């Protein structure tokens, strides 16, 4: 009799659980919003972290449901998520209605994992205050001041390429550009001569790379943490490995102590952080906040820029006519500026802008933008209301590969960013780093170092694809930032 009772109780619990899950999966249908039929428990996350990059997953939903309504409802595990399909609604959410969508709804754990509480993840008033304090660091005036420092690193980059060229070996373009961007950020942000291009074994480089190559959690777990943020915080889950936190805390502490002891001031990001840290009263920035912001500047700055550079050189090697045209354009502009690589000369290279923008279109560093409603939101032109706390995903990768905006989107075509093409296209059809008040604060810095990287690597060298490069390119699934499976390998020859 007891066995029967136990079995009946167990079956009842299972039945209740099934009915509860089914009720959760009825959310979008009740709202009258088109939705993707979910699988039991994990919803529509099948493939993420296994065989689909997050940008490709949302592209499937975008292509299937575009035209059926302004959004399509999906489920990431049991949590309803709205994927935006209408580019005008996207513009409203990022610009006009930004006060309702100022937060990303990303997991971070400030108490146990201070590195996670950085500007990209933060929400509410703290994000707004820090954003206002840091914005002056990334002005065009500051870029000009940092330009000479970037050029010093570029000299080492050219020397490194020349060494590989003389050796006759294949070039691992990802590794090369990661070394370059780490050194640029080490100098411009921390005031450190990291010398990664001369010594690949330095700790600054390897710890930074390990954040992405050896993440604490895989892509699917990251989605779980975002979905169940409050539970994850109560369980005191961390995003980053302890050795990463220890390293960045140590290097920031040493830098601050050295500068204060020697009354040393520099025109870099660290100087701004130190000034905020030493202020009295409410404007004082605690040490953990200093570390978090220095960390994200380093990590986001070098990884997104090095990824853009490697994809750019993949396409230049695959399209020799574009490579030759760009090289000719660079040399032509430099002649107008007396052969000197100045900030003004770089800003004058319009075709270089087109090539880099086309790279960012085809390979946006992030496949998605995250937003969360802070109050109920009526979707313009409809009767549908997104309830407070609803997560919204803006499918950057899908928009950038939409033939409505880019004919033959799989083709690398810098003419997509000619003056006329840009003028005739919706302004929000190209948003590699977001838009509105929460657009990437370091986009100008990243663009400048990418341009210097392309100019330096292209002026004296020609590139072709090595057979070692896998074709066609497949994006790795374990990264949120786009990375090619197997890397990109190039052959180099000098140009006399």
């Amino acid at each position: 009799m007891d066995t029967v009772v136990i079995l009946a109780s167990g079956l009842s619990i299972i039945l209740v659980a099934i009915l509860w899950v089914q009720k959760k999966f009825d959310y979008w249908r009740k709202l009258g919003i088109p939705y993707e039929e979910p699988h039991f428990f994990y919803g529509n996350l099948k493939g993420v972290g296994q065989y689909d990059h997050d940008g490709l997953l949302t592209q499937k939903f975008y292509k299937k449901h575009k035209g059926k309504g302004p959004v399509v409802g999906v489920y990431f595990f049991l949590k309803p998520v709205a994927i935006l399909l209408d580019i005008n609604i996207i513009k409203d959410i990022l610009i006009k209605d930004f006060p309702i969508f100022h937060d990303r709804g990303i997991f971070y754990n400030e108490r146990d994992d201070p590195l996670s509480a950085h500007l990209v993840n933060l929400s509410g008033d703290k994000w707004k205050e820090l954003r206002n304090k840091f914005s002056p660091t990334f002005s065009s005036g500051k870029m000009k001041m940092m330009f000479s420092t970037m050029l010093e690193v570029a000299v080492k980059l050219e020397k490194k390429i020349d060494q590989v060229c003389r050796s006759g070996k294949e070039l691992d373009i990802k590794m090369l550009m990661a070394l370059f961007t780490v050194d640029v950020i080490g100098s411009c942000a921390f005031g450190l001569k990291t010398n990664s291009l001369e010594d690949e074994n330095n700790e600054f480089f390897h710890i930074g790379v390990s954040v992405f190559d050896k993440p604490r959690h895989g892509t699917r777990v990251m989605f779980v943490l975002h979905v169940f943020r409050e539970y994850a915080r109560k369980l005191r889950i961390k995003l980053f490995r302890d050795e990463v936190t220890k390293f960045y805390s140590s290097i920031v502490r040493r830098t601050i102590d050295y500068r204060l002891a020697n009354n040393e001031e520099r025109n870099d990001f660290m100087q701004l952080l130190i000034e905020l840290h030493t202020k009295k009263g409410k404007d004082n920035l605690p040490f953990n906040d200093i570390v978090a912001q220095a960390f994200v500047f380093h990590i986001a700055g070098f990884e997104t820029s090095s990824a853009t550079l490697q994809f750019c050189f993949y396409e230049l090697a695959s399209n020799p006519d574009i490579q030759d045209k760009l090289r000719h354009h660079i040399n032509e502009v430099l002649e107008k500026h007396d052969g000197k690589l100045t900030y003004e000369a770089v800003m004058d290279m319009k075709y270089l802008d087109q090539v880099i923008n086309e790279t960012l279109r085809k390979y946006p560093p992030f496949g998605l933008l995250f937003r969360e409603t802070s109050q109920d939101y009526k979707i313009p032109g409809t009767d549908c209301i997104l309830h407070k706390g609803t997560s919204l995903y803006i499918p950057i990768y899908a928009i950038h590969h939409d033939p409505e905006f880019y004919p033959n989107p799989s083709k690398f075509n810098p003419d997509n960013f000619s003056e006329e093409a840009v003028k005739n296209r919706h302004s929000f059809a190209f948003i590699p780093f977001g838009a509105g008040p929460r657009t990437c604060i370091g986009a100008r810095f990243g663009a400048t170092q990418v341009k210097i990287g392309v100019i330096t690597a292209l002026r004296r060298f020609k590139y072709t694809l090595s057979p070692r490069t896998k074709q066609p390119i497949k994006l790795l699934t374990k990264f949120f930032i786009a990375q090619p499976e197997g890397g990109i390998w190039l052959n180099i020859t000098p140009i006399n």
Side-chain angles (χ1 to χ4, degrees):
M1 186 67 180
D2 289 344
T3 302
V4 173
V5 171
I6 292 171
L7 285 174
S9 299
L11 289 172
S12 297
I13 292 171
I14 292 172
L15 179 61
V16 169
I18 291 173
L19 292 173
W20 179 74
V21 170
Q22 287 178 338
K23 183 179 179 181
K24 287 281 187 180
F25 283 158
D26 209 27
Y27 180 83
W28 291 120
R29 186 189 65 79
K30 286 183 176 179
L31 285 180
I33 289 177
Y35 64 95
E36 186 74 10
E37 198 65 44
H39 296 271
F40 188 78
F41 182 64
Y42 61 77
N44 303 112
L45 269 180
K46 185 177 182 181
V48 168
Q50 293 179 314
Y51 49 81
D52 271 344
H53 185 265
D54 55 4
L56 296 174
L57 177 73
T58 48
Q59 185 188 34
K60 291 179 181 178
F61 303 142
Y62 179 90
K63 291 170 73 173
K64 181 177 178 180
H65 294 276
K66 186 186 174 187
K68 297 178 182 178
V71 303
V72 57
V74 298
Y75 297 91
F76 285 180
F77 291 96
L78 302 179
K79 183 177 178 63
V81 173
I83 296 177
L84 300 174
L85 307 175
D86 187 308
I87 200 163
N88 291 308
I89 302 298
I90 291 172
K91 183 177 181 180
D92 284 343
I93 284 171
L94 294 180
I95 303 289
K96 183 170 70 72
D97 297 322
F98 175 77
I100 302 174
F101 299 97
H102 48 75
D103 291 342
R104 288 197 167 103
I106 296 177
F107 168 75
Y108 63 93
N109 178 1
E110 191 167 6
R111 178 181 62 173
D112 305 296
D113 190 17
L115 288 190
S116 66
H118 53 68
L119 199 60
V120 174
N121 291 349
L122 285 172
S123 58
D125 291 338
K126 185 167 184 177
W127 165 79
K128 186 176 181 180
E129 290 171 7
L130 286 179
R131 175 83 183 203
N132 290 336
K133 289 175 179 177
F134 295 154
S135 291
T137 308
F138 300 96
S139 66
S140 57
K142 289 288 187 180
M143 291 305 102
K144 287 184 181 181
M145 294 174 68
M146 295 181 188
F147 190 79
S148 60
T149 303
M150 293 184 182
L151 287 185
E152 291 175 9
V153 181
V155 171
K156 297 178 182 179
L157 172 64
E158 188 172 61
K159 182 179 178 181
K160 181 76 171 181
I161 297 172
D162 188 58
Q163 289 174 352
V164 177
C165 186
R166 291 176 183 274
S167 72
K169 296 179 181 178
E170 297 166 310
L171 175 66
D172 179 351
I173 193 69
K174 178 193 174 189
M175 173 64 81
L176 176 73
M177 291 308 177
L179 294 168
F180 167 65
T181 53
V182 162
D183 279 355
V184 168
I185 291 169
S187 296
C188 293
F190 292 86
L192 300 174
K193 301 293 184 183
T194 53
N195 296 321
S196 303
L197 283 162
E198 298 167 339
D199 176 19
E200 297 179 10
N201 296 314
N202 78 80
E203 192 176 19
F204 194 80
F205 175 73
H206 279 281
I207 290 292
V209 169
S210 76
V211 173
F212 296 96
D213 287 352
K214 300 174 183 177
R216 188 167 194 143
H217 308 292
T219 306
R220 183 171 286 188
V221 173
M222 289 297 292
F223 272 110
V224 174
L225 295 179
H226 295 328
V227 170
F228 302 108
R229 296 194 301 277
E230 296 308 316
Y231 295 106
R233 288 191 185 107
K234 288 177 181 178
L235 292 172
R236 308 189 75 163
I237 293 175
K238 300 178 181 181
L239 284 181
F240 302 106
R241 304 189 319 276
D242 292 341
E243 66 183 84
V244 173
T245 302
K246 182 179 178 181
F247 173 78
Y248 281 97
S249 297
S250 174
I251 201 167
V252 171
R253 181 79 274 166
R254 293 200 309 268
T255 302
I256 291 174
D257 289 347
Y258 176 83
R259 291 196 190 182
L260 292 178
N262 293 276
N263 292 317
E264 181 178 303
E265 294 187 4
R266 293 171 176 258
N267 290 311
D268 57 18
F269 185 57
M270 183 58 68
Q271 186 62 40
L272 174 65
L273 293 177
I274 292 172
E275 290 170 4
L276 293 172
H277 182 52
T278 54
K279 275 190 175 182
K280 304 296 183 183
K282 65 176 184 178
D283 290 330
N284 174 267
L285 199 63
F287 178 73
N288 280 350
D289 287 351
I290 296 283
V291 177
Q293 310 324 313
F295 165 76
V296 76
F297 186 95
H298 177 216
I299 295 302
F302 97 77
E303 185 68 15
T304 56
S305 295
S306 63
T308 300
L309 281 161
Q310 68 169 318
F311 285 121
C312 182
F313 275 89
Y314 166 78
E315 290 293 349
L316 292 175
S318 303
N319 299 277
D321 54 332
I322 296 175
Q323 182 182 157
D324 292 342
K325 182 177 178 179
L326 177 56
R327 186 182 296 108
H328 176 74
H329 173 73
I330 289 169
N331 290 327
E332 192 175 54
V333 172
L334 288 176
E335 284 180 19
K336 287 167 51 181
H337 291 265
D338 300 322
K340 297 178 181 178
L341 183 54
T342 63
Y343 183 83
E344 289 72 23
V346 172
M347 295 302 108
D348 202 19
M349 295 179 183
K350 304 306 179 188
Y351 190 66
L352 175 61
D353 287 341
Q354 290 179 223
V355 169
I356 292 172
N357 284 340
E358 177 66 354
T359 303
L360 290 168
R361 177 199 68 80
K362 194 172 178 184
Y363 309 98
F366 300 97
L368 303 172
L369 273 183
F370 302 87
R371 288 294 185 271
E372 186 174 82
T373 57
S374 61
Q375 63 187 59
D376 288 356
Y377 178 75
K378 184 175 180 294
I379 301 175
T382 75
D383 295 325
C384 297
I385 295 176
L386 298 177
H387 297 139
K388 178 181 177 180
T390 301
S391 292
L392 284 81
Y393 287 2
I394 297 170
I396 297 175
Y397 186 92
I399 293 169
H400 285 192
H401 290 78
D402 189 336
E404 178 186 345
F405 308 120
Y406 301 98
N408 195 4
S410 61
K411 179 183 178 182
F412 186 80
N413 179 18
D415 288 340
N416 281 326
F417 291 90
S418 66
E419 188 176 341
E420 183 178 1
V422 171
K423 184 175 65 176
N424 292 328
R425 186 170 56 239
H426 197 292
S427 60
F428 274 63
F430 181 65
I431 47 172
F433 297 109
R438 196 140 192 174
T439 189
C440 175
I441 194 172
R444 185 184 279 114
F445 179 93
T448 303
Q449 70 172 339
V450 166
K451 289 176 185 179
I452 290 176
V454 173
I455 294 166
T456 302
L458 199 61
R459 287 171 66 186
R460 293 181 50 218
F461 305 96
K462 186 173 184 178
Y463 302 85
T464 55
L465 286 180
S466 161
R468 190 172 174 180
T469 301
K470 292 183 179 180
Q471 300 273 24
I473 278 183
K474 185 179 186 303
L475 297 181
L476 285 169
T477 59
K478 69 176 182 177
F479 293 118
F480 276 100
I481 294 180
Q483 289 289 356
E485 188 177 280
I488 293 171
W489 299 82
L490 305 175
N491 299 315
I492 327 172
T493 53
I495 294 175
N496 299 323

